Amino acid sequence: MFQSIYDTMIAGQRYVLILQGLGVTLLIAICAIIIGTILGCILALMKISDNRLLKGIGTLYTTVLRGLPLATQLMIFYFVVFAPLHLPKLVVAILAYGLNSGAYCTEIFRAGIQGVDIGQTEAGRSLGLSKRQTLFKIILPQAVKAVLPTYTSEFIVLIKETSVASFIAVMDMTKAGDMIRNATYNAWIPLLTCAIIYLILTLGLTKVFDIFEKRMARSDR
Amino acid sequence: MTDEKFIQVSNLQKSFGSLNVLNGITTTIRKGERIVIIGPSGSGKSTFLRCLNMLEIPTGGTIIFEGTELTDPNTDLDKCRQKMGMVFQHFNLFPHLTVMENITLAPITLKLKSEDEAKEIGSGLLKKVGLLDKADVYPAMLSGGQKQRIAIVRSLAMNPDVMLFDEPTSALDPEMVGEVLNVMKDLAKAGMTMAVVTHEMGFAREVADRVLFIDGGVIAEEGTPEEIFEHPRCERLQQFLKAVL
């Protein structure tokens, strides 16, 4: 067995492909979650605002981007939306995943904000705090805490979904594993390697966010 | 007690969709006056109180507070609300902040006090209600009665000119009602202008200068506690008192 692992992964330095793929996977996921988080904050505030236009834009955005399969969106972004700009594939992938994740983050954040008891807003306003001060000092700190578990799973989904990036020929980790499979006619070693790395990533991430959550739960004790 | 007209409510109306909750309430609250508002559930008494600081926006009528018309859309409500404390049935303490942070948040955020000043005022008020030792704990650690006393302190830290109480003891276990009512009685003794919606008839009798009986969205009867409780005139009030006493 060690021989076949050696033949498949080490010989010809094929493991480097996996590592490069891992780098791409992480790069896409991290950049996308940053874009998605920022976008999600803005759109969530738009969706809870009293302004109908802002609200409408937010709703349209989340409806469309959550309503289409990711692979389809990825190709639309690459071959249609960003085609005239001739951007590198990796950049398009980051943008596409970021924009898509933004839609999910919007809904996560909106639900988190609206999930905070209305009495909190009333208490803030009754003390003379403005709408904005109430939102930032009272509502958001509580929403962040409530939202953390769902936000974690969005990040984890994002990491896993980067495996679709090969639709526009981005060399992510899954694609790398698949290339090794092609070259060596050994399917299970490269794909299992990918699977294990994905698991380590997602489990590790879950742990990190667990620590955050525990820390934030101080006030519940 | 001065005769100064402090809060003037004229023909106040509020409807939620086709449901008319307030059907024209007119009354004046003078400075230093203690008003207790009673009435059957669904009568509009809480809505009336919540209109006073515009947490509910009235659909008609006017409210004038310290010479400012609150019902004028151009009024800076945030500014006015700083002078109107409100205590809620469900306390509404901020669970992510410690007791002291709950109390100092508004004075500090609104730049009315420095952090040190706000804490000093907070400590003084906490001492008065016997909860100074709870300054650094989170609300989740407190009993209902403690939470409500903190909520009262939080409002008082803004140094309000009037305190509105919306059924402050209705969510409390019976043995905790007393400690909250005592704080409110002390407040009344100190001359605070108060408007209290409550089912505690004993409190109304003891503390109120004037009792408003609201039924069907109007003031069906008003008078001194003696007039209301000993010599109720209208039939609805007589029925109501028979049911609650």
PDB file of all heavy atoms in Angstrom, chain A residues 135-164:
ATOM      1  N   LEU A 135     -28.886  50.294  16.999  1.00  0.00           N
ATOM      2  CA  LEU A 135     -28.464  49.188  16.136  1.00  0.00           C
ATOM      3  C   LEU A 135     -27.034  48.753  16.473  1.00  0.00           C
ATOM      4  O   LEU A 135     -26.766  47.566  16.674  1.00  0.00           O
ATOM      5  CB  LEU A 135     -28.564  49.613  14.664  1.00  0.00           C
ATOM      6  CG  LEU A 135     -28.182  48.559  13.638  1.00  0.00           C
ATOM      7  CD1 LEU A 135     -29.193  47.416  13.651  1.00  0.00           C
ATOM      8  CD2 LEU A 135     -28.118  49.156  12.232  1.00  0.00           C
ATOM      9  N   PHE A 136     -26.132  49.726  16.571  1.00  0.00           N
ATOM     10  CA  PHE A 136     -24.724  49.365  16.722  1.00  0.00           C
ATOM     11  C   PHE A 136     -24.332  48.977  18.144  1.00  0.00           C
ATOM     12  O   PHE A 136     -23.469  48.136  18.335  1.00  0.00           O
ATOM     13  CB  PHE A 136     -23.828  50.502  16.199  1.00  0.00           C
ATOM     14  CG  PHE A 136     -23.756  50.523  14.708  1.00  0.00           C
ATOM     15  CD1 PHE A 136     -24.602  51.340  13.965  1.00  0.00           C
ATOM     16  CD2 PHE A 136     -22.892  49.681  14.029  1.00  0.00           C
ATOM     17  CE1 PHE A 136     -24.567  51.328  12.577  1.00  0.00           C
ATOM     18  CE2 PHE A 136     -22.844  49.656  12.644  1.00  0.00           C
ATOM     19  CZ  PHE A 136     -23.688  50.484  11.917  1.00  0.00           C
ATOM     20  N   LYS A 137     -24.971  49.612  19.129  1.00  0.00           N
ATOM     21  CA  LYS A 137     -24.569  49.344  20.513  1.00  0.00           C
ATOM     22  C   LYS A 137     -25.355  48.195  21.142  1.00  0.00           C
ATOM     23  O   LYS A 137     -24.880  47.556  22.081  1.00  0.00           O
ATOM     24  CB  LYS A 137     -24.785  50.608  21.372  1.00  0.00           C
ATOM     25  CG  LYS A 137     -23.948  51.787  20.963  1.00  0.00           C
ATOM     26  CD  LYS A 137     -22.607  51.739  21.644  1.00  0.00           C
ATOM     27  CE  LYS A 137     -21.758  52.924  21.230  1.00  0.00           C
ATOM     28  NZ  LYS A 137     -20.534  53.013  21.997  1.00  0.00           N
ATOM     29  N   ILE A 138     -26.572  47.980  20.674  1.00  0.00           N
ATOM     30  CA  ILE A 138     -27.435  47.021  21.362  1.00  0.00           C
ATOM     31  C   ILE A 138     -27.797  45.827  20.483  1.00  0.00           C
ATOM     32  O   ILE A 138     -27.656  44.683  20.891  1.00  0.00           O
ATOM     33  CB  ILE A 138     -28.723  47.739  21.862  1.00  0.00           C
ATOM     34  CG1 ILE A 138     -28.344  48.820  22.879  1.00  0.00           C
ATOM     35  CG2 ILE A 138     -29.693  46.732  22.472  1.00  0.00           C
ATOM     36  CD1 ILE A 138     -29.456  49.767  23.213  1.00  0.00           C
ATOM     37  N   ILE A 139     -28.224  46.091  19.268  1.00  0.00           N
ATOM     38  CA  ILE A 139     -28.745  45.001  18.431  1.00  0.00           C
ATOM     39  C   ILE A 139     -27.612  44.176  17.815  1.00  0.00           C
ATOM     40  O   ILE A 139     -27.577  42.951  17.957  1.00  0.00           O
ATOM     41  CB  ILE A 139     -29.674  45.549  17.334  1.00  0.00           C
ATOM     42  CG1 ILE A 139     -30.769  46.424  17.943  1.00  0.00           C
ATOM     43  CG2 ILE A 139     -30.276  44.404  16.527  1.00  0.00           C
ATOM     44  CD1 ILE A 139     -31.607  45.746  18.998  1.00  0.00           C
ATOM     45  N   LEU A 140     -26.675  44.834  17.147  1.00  0.00           N
ATOM     46  CA  LEU A 140     -25.641  44.083  16.438  1.00  0.00           C
ATOM     47  C   LEU A 140     -24.795  43.187  17.349  1.00  0.00           C
ATOM     48  O   LEU A 140     -24.547  42.036  17.012  1.00  0.00           O
ATOM     49  CB  LEU A 140     -24.752  45.021  15.607  1.00  0.00           C
ATOM     50  CG  LEU A 140     -25.418  45.568  14.337  1.00  0.00           C
ATOM     51  CD1 LEU A 140     -24.423  46.375  13.512  1.00  0.00           C
ATOM     52  CD2 LEU A 140     -26.008  44.452  13.480  1.00  0.00           C
ATOM     53  N   PRO A 141     -24.353  43.687  18.519  1.00  0.00           N
ATOM     54  CA  PRO A 141     -23.560  42.790  19.371  1.00  0.00           C
ATOM     55  C   PRO A 141     -24.309  41.501  19.722  1.00  0.00           C
ATOM     56  O   PRO A 141     -23.698  40.430  19.825  1.00  0.00           O
ATOM     57  CB  PRO A 141     -23.310  43.624  20.635  1.00  0.00           C
ATOM     58  CG  PRO A 141     -23.446  45.037  20.198  1.00  0.00           C
ATOM     59  CD  PRO A 141     -24.460  45.042  19.102  1.00  0.00           C
ATOM     60  N   GLN A 142     -25.620  41.606  19.880  1.00  0.00           N
ATOM     61  CA  GLN A 142     -26.395  40.404  20.202  1.00  0.00           C
ATOM     62  C   GLN A 142     -26.606  39.556  18.956  1.00  0.00           C
ATOM     63  O   GLN A 142     -26.611  38.330  19.021  1.00  0.00           O
ATOM     64  CB  GLN A 142     -27.752  40.802  20.793  1.00  0.00           C
ATOM     65  CG  GLN A 142     -27.619  41.516  22.118  1.00  0.00           C
ATOM     66  CD  GLN A 142     -28.981  41.839  22.706  1.00  0.00           C
ATOM     67  OE1 GLN A 142     -29.811  40.969  22.917  1.00  0.00           O
ATOM     68  NE2 GLN A 142     -29.206  43.108  22.971  1.00  0.00           N
ATOM     69  N   ALA A 143     -26.780  40.232  17.816  1.00  0.00           N
ATOM     70  CA  ALA A 143     -27.010  39.501  16.567  1.00  0.00           C
ATOM     71  C   ALA A 143     -25.772  38.690  16.183  1.00  0.00           C
ATOM     72  O   ALA A 143     -25.881  37.543  15.764  1.00  0.00           O
ATOM     73  CB  ALA A 143     -27.389  40.475  15.451  1.00  0.00           C
ATOM     74  N   VAL A 144     -24.587  39.295  16.375  1.00  0.00           N
ATOM     75  CA  VAL A 144     -23.350  38.614  16.015  1.00  0.00           C
ATOM     76  C   VAL A 144     -23.253  37.272  16.742  1.00  0.00           C
ATOM     77  O   VAL A 144     -22.918  36.239  16.162  1.00  0.00           O
ATOM     78  CB  VAL A 144     -22.125  39.494  16.359  1.00  0.00           C
ATOM     79  CG1 VAL A 144     -20.844  38.684  16.316  1.00  0.00           C
ATOM     80  CG2 VAL A 144     -22.044  40.665  15.401  1.00  0.00           C
ATOM     81  N   LYS A 145     -23.592  37.307  17.999  1.00  0.00           N
ATOM     82  CA  LYS A 145     -23.516  36.096  18.810  1.00  0.00           C
ATOM     83  C   LYS A 145     -24.500  35.037  18.312  1.00  0.00           C
ATOM     84  O   LYS A 145     -24.165  33.868  18.191  1.00  0.00           O
ATOM     85  CB  LYS A 145     -23.826  36.458  20.267  1.00  0.00           C
ATOM     86  CG  LYS A 145     -23.313  35.467  21.249  1.00  0.00           C
ATOM     87  CD  LYS A 145     -23.320  36.057  22.638  1.00  0.00           C
ATOM     88  CE  LYS A 145     -24.564  35.678  23.371  1.00  0.00           C
ATOM     89  NZ  LYS A 145     -24.573  36.215  24.747  1.00  0.00           N
ATOM     90  N   ALA A 146     -25.690  35.498  17.991  1.00  0.00           N
ATOM     91  CA  ALA A 146     -26.733  34.566  17.556  1.00  0.00           C
ATOM     92  C   ALA A 146     -26.406  33.956  16.200  1.00  0.00           C
ATOM     93  O   ALA A 146     -26.789  32.834  15.891  1.00  0.00           O
ATOM     94  CB  ALA A 146     -28.072  35.298  17.499  1.00  0.00           C
ATOM     95  N   VAL A 147     -25.650  34.726  15.422  1.00  0.00           N
ATOM     96  CA  VAL A 147     -25.434  34.376  14.025  1.00  0.00           C
ATOM     97  C   VAL A 147     -24.237  33.452  13.834  1.00  0.00           C
ATOM     98  O   VAL A 147     -24.114  32.750  12.844  1.00  0.00           O
ATOM     99  CB  VAL A 147     -25.246  35.716  13.255  1.00  0.00           C
ATOM    100  CG1 VAL A 147     -24.118  35.660  12.287  1.00  0.00           C
ATOM    101  CG2 VAL A 147     -26.544  36.139  12.624  1.00  0.00           C
ATOM    102  N   LEU A 148     -23.355  33.423  14.822  1.00  0.00           N
ATOM    103  CA  LEU A 148     -22.075  32.749  14.654  1.00  0.00           C
ATOM    104  C   LEU A 148     -22.172  31.294  14.166  1.00  0.00           C
ATOM    105  O   LEU A 148     -21.456  30.924  13.233  1.00  0.00           O
ATOM    106  CB  LEU A 148     -21.274  32.846  15.954  1.00  0.00           C
ATOM    107  CG  LEU A 148     -19.761  32.851  15.766  1.00  0.00           C
ATOM    108  CD1 LEU A 148     -19.337  33.914  14.774  1.00  0.00           C
ATOM    109  CD2 LEU A 148     -19.059  33.062  17.090  1.00  0.00           C
ATOM    110  N   PRO A 149     -23.037  30.463  14.736  1.00  0.00           N
ATOM    111  CA  PRO A 149     -23.097  29.077  14.258  1.00  0.00           C
ATOM    112  C   PRO A 149     -23.474  28.965  12.773  1.00  0.00           C
ATOM    113  O   PRO A 149     -22.871  28.198  12.033  1.00  0.00           O
ATOM    114  CB  PRO A 149     -24.183  28.443  15.138  1.00  0.00           C
ATOM    115  CG  PRO A 149     -24.276  29.314  16.336  1.00  0.00           C
ATOM    116  CD  PRO A 149     -23.932  30.685  15.879  1.00  0.00           C
ATOM    117  N   THR A 150     -24.457  29.732  12.348  1.00  0.00           N
ATOM    118  CA  THR A 150     -24.877  29.687  10.940  1.00  0.00           C
ATOM    119  C   THR A 150     -23.791  30.260  10.039  1.00  0.00           C
ATOM    120  O   THR A 150     -23.575  29.781   8.927  1.00  0.00           O
ATOM    121  CB  THR A 150     -26.167  30.504  10.708  1.00  0.00           C
ATOM    122  OG1 THR A 150     -26.681  30.931  11.959  1.00  0.00           O
ATOM    123  CG2 THR A 150     -27.177  29.695   9.967  1.00  0.00           C
ATOM    124  N   TYR A 151     -23.118  31.289  10.538  1.00  0.00           N
ATOM    125  CA  TYR A 151     -22.038  31.906   9.771  1.00  0.00           C
ATOM    126  C   TYR A 151     -20.906  30.895   9.577  1.00  0.00           C
ATOM    127  O   TYR A 151     -20.335  30.785   8.496  1.00  0.00           O
ATOM    128  CB  TYR A 151     -21.555  33.146  10.510  1.00  0.00           C
ATOM    129  CG  TYR A 151     -20.445  33.905   9.832  1.00  0.00           C
ATOM    130  CD1 TYR A 151     -20.687  34.641   8.679  1.00  0.00           C
ATOM    131  CD2 TYR A 151     -19.156  33.889  10.347  1.00  0.00           C
ATOM    132  CE1 TYR A 151     -19.671  35.353   8.053  1.00  0.00           C
ATOM    133  CE2 TYR A 151     -18.130  34.596   9.741  1.00  0.00           C
ATOM    134  CZ  TYR A 151     -18.399  35.326   8.598  1.00  0.00           C
ATOM    135  OH  TYR A 151     -17.392  36.022   7.991  1.00  0.00           O
ATOM    136  N   THR A 152     -20.595  30.142  10.626  1.00  0.00           N
ATOM    137  CA  THR A 152     -19.573  29.097  10.510  1.00  0.00           C
ATOM    138  C   THR A 152     -19.944  28.116   9.418  1.00  0.00           C
ATOM    139  O   THR A 152     -19.111  27.766   8.587  1.00  0.00           O
ATOM    140  CB  THR A 152     -19.454  28.299  11.826  1.00  0.00           C
ATOM    141  OG1 THR A 152     -19.472  29.208  12.908  1.00  0.00           O
ATOM    142  CG2 THR A 152     -18.184  27.484  11.851  1.00  0.00           C
ATOM    143  N   SER A 153     -21.178  27.680   9.420  1.00  0.00           N
ATOM    144  CA  SER A 153     -21.526  26.677   8.421  1.00  0.00           C
ATOM    145  C   SER A 153     -21.508  27.269   7.019  1.00  0.00           C
ATOM    146  O   SER A 153     -21.218  26.573   6.056  1.00  0.00           O
ATOM    147  CB  SER A 153     -22.858  25.985   8.741  1.00  0.00           C
ATOM    148  OG  SER A 153     -23.823  26.909   9.058  1.00  0.00           O
ATOM    149  N   GLU A 154     -21.792  28.569   6.906  1.00  0.00           N
ATOM    150  CA  GLU A 154     -21.672  29.194   5.583  1.00  0.00           C
ATOM    151  C   GLU A 154     -20.220  29.145   5.100  1.00  0.00           C
ATOM    152  O   GLU A 154     -19.959  28.846   3.940  1.00  0.00           O
ATOM    153  CB  GLU A 154     -22.180  30.647   5.648  1.00  0.00           C
ATOM    154  CG  GLU A 154     -21.809  31.547   4.467  1.00  0.00           C
ATOM    155  CD  GLU A 154     -22.292  31.042   3.118  1.00  0.00           C
ATOM    156  OE1 GLU A 154     -23.186  30.170   3.081  1.00  0.00           O
ATOM    157  OE2 GLU A 154     -21.760  31.492   2.086  1.00  0.00           O
ATOM    158  N   PHE A 155     -19.286  29.407   5.990  1.00  0.00           N
ATOM    159  CA  PHE A 155     -17.870  29.350   5.622  1.00  0.00           C
ATOM    160  C   PHE A 155     -17.481  27.930   5.217  1.00  0.00           C
ATOM    161  O   PHE A 155     -16.761  27.703   4.241  1.00  0.00           O
ATOM    162  CB  PHE A 155     -17.023  29.841   6.804  1.00  0.00           C
ATOM    163  CG  PHE A 155     -15.594  30.189   6.430  1.00  0.00           C
ATOM    164  CD1 PHE A 155     -15.187  30.277   5.105  1.00  0.00           C
ATOM    165  CD2 PHE A 155     -14.658  30.445   7.427  1.00  0.00           C
ATOM    166  CE1 PHE A 155     -13.883  30.607   4.774  1.00  0.00           C
ATOM    167  CE2 PHE A 155     -13.343  30.770   7.107  1.00  0.00           C
ATOM    168  CZ  PHE A 155     -12.956  30.845   5.782  1.00  0.00           C
ATOM    169  N   ILE A 156     -18.006  26.961   5.953  1.00  0.00           N
ATOM    170  CA  ILE A 156     -17.683  25.572   5.651  1.00  0.00           C
ATOM    171  C   ILE A 156     -18.279  25.157   4.304  1.00  0.00           C
ATOM    172  O   ILE A 156     -17.608  24.527   3.475  1.00  0.00           O
ATOM    173  CB  ILE A 156     -18.176  24.658   6.798  1.00  0.00           C
ATOM    174  CG1 ILE A 156     -17.265  24.869   8.016  1.00  0.00           C
ATOM    175  CG2 ILE A 156     -18.196  23.200   6.382  1.00  0.00           C
ATOM    176  CD1 ILE A 156     -17.757  24.219   9.286  1.00  0.00           C
ATOM    177  N   VAL A 157     -19.501  25.554   4.061  1.00  0.00           N
ATOM    178  CA  VAL A 157     -20.128  25.278   2.761  1.00  0.00           C
ATOM    179  C   VAL A 157     -19.283  25.893   1.649  1.00  0.00           C
ATOM    180  O   VAL A 157     -19.027  25.269   0.616  1.00  0.00           O
ATOM    181  CB  VAL A 157     -21.571  25.843   2.722  1.00  0.00           C
ATOM    182  CG1 VAL A 157     -22.112  25.846   1.306  1.00  0.00           C
ATOM    183  CG2 VAL A 157     -22.482  25.056   3.637  1.00  0.00           C
ATOM    184  N   LEU A 158     -18.825  27.101   1.908  1.00  0.00           N
ATOM    185  CA  LEU A 158     -18.019  27.814   0.912  1.00  0.00           C
ATOM    186  C   LEU A 158     -16.752  27.031   0.576  1.00  0.00           C
ATOM    187  O   LEU A 158     -16.400  26.851  -0.597  1.00  0.00           O
ATOM    188  CB  LEU A 158     -17.677  29.190   1.471  1.00  0.00           C
ATOM    189  CG  LEU A 158     -17.100  30.221   0.512  1.00  0.00           C
ATOM    190  CD1 LEU A 158     -18.006  30.407  -0.685  1.00  0.00           C
ATOM    191  CD2 LEU A 158     -16.929  31.543   1.242  1.00  0.00           C
ATOM    192  N   ILE A 159     -16.050  26.548   1.593  1.00  0.00           N
ATOM    193  CA  ILE A 159     -14.830  25.767   1.353  1.00  0.00           C
ATOM    194  C   ILE A 159     -15.132  24.553   0.485  1.00  0.00           C
ATOM    195  O   ILE A 159     -14.442  24.271  -0.486  1.00  0.00           O
ATOM    196  CB  ILE A 159     -14.207  25.321   2.693  1.00  0.00           C
ATOM    197  CG1 ILE A 159     -13.613  26.535   3.414  1.00  0.00           C
ATOM    198  CG2 ILE A 159     -13.129  24.265   2.458  1.00  0.00           C
ATOM    199  CD1 ILE A 159     -12.968  26.194   4.736  1.00  0.00           C
ATOM    200  N   LYS A 160     -16.220  23.884   0.822  1.00  0.00           N
ATOM    201  CA  LYS A 160     -16.548  22.682   0.053  1.00  0.00           C
ATOM    202  C   LYS A 160     -16.974  23.012  -1.374  1.00  0.00           C
ATOM    203  O   LYS A 160     -16.631  22.306  -2.314  1.00  0.00           O
ATOM    204  CB  LYS A 160     -17.671  21.913   0.779  1.00  0.00           C
ATOM    205  CG  LYS A 160     -17.205  21.320   2.105  1.00  0.00           C
ATOM    206  CD  LYS A 160     -18.273  20.483   2.748  1.00  0.00           C
ATOM    207  CE  LYS A 160     -19.443  21.348   3.167  1.00  0.00           C
ATOM    208  NZ  LYS A 160     -20.508  20.574   3.813  1.00  0.00           N
ATOM    209  N   GLU A 161     -17.676  24.129  -1.520  1.00  0.00           N
ATOM    210  CA  GLU A 161     -18.193  24.466  -2.850  1.00  0.00           C
ATOM    211  C   GLU A 161     -17.121  24.967  -3.796  1.00  0.00           C
ATOM    212  O   GLU A 161     -17.344  25.026  -5.008  1.00  0.00           O
ATOM    213  CB  GLU A 161     -19.323  25.495  -2.732  1.00  0.00           C
ATOM    214  CG  GLU A 161     -20.626  24.836  -2.322  1.00  0.00           C
ATOM    215  CD  GLU A 161     -21.815  25.760  -2.456  1.00  0.00           C
ATOM    216  OE1 GLU A 161     -21.610  26.981  -2.449  1.00  0.00           O
ATOM    217  OE2 GLU A 161     -22.933  25.248  -2.560  1.00  0.00           O
ATOM    218  N   THR A 162     -15.947  25.312  -3.249  1.00  0.00           N
ATOM    219  CA  THR A 162     -14.872  25.720  -4.152  1.00  0.00           C
ATOM    220  C   THR A 162     -14.519  24.579  -5.100  1.00  0.00           C
ATOM    221  O   THR A 162     -13.904  24.784  -6.135  1.00  0.00           O
ATOM    222  CB  THR A 162     -13.596  26.110  -3.386  1.00  0.00           C
ATOM    223  OG1 THR A 162     -13.284  25.048  -2.474  1.00  0.00           O
ATOM    224  CG2 THR A 162     -13.778  27.397  -2.622  1.00  0.00           C
ATOM    225  N   SER A 163     -14.937  23.366  -4.762  1.00  0.00           N
ATOM    226  CA  SER A 163     -14.645  22.220  -5.625  1.00  0.00           C
ATOM    227  C   SER A 163     -15.346  22.327  -6.973  1.00  0.00           C
ATOM    228  O   SER A 163     -15.027  21.588  -7.906  1.00  0.00           O
ATOM    229  CB  SER A 163     -15.057  20.923  -4.925  1.00  0.00           C
ATOM    230  OG  SER A 163     -16.442  20.944  -4.671  1.00  0.00           O
ATOM    231  N   VAL A 164     -16.296  23.252  -7.082  1.00  0.00           N
ATOM    232  CA  VAL A 164     -16.985  23.430  -8.364  1.00  0.00           C
ATOM    233  C   VAL A 164     -16.213  24.377  -9.278  1.00  0.00           C
ATOM    234  O   VAL A 164     -16.537  24.532 -10.453  1.00  0.00           O
ATOM    235  CB  VAL A 164     -18.417  23.968  -8.122  1.00  0.00           C
ATOM    236  CG1 VAL A 164     -19.251  23.894  -9.382  1.00  0.00           C
ATOM    237  CG2 VAL A 164     -19.101  23.185  -7.014  1.00  0.00           C
TER     238      VAL A 164
END
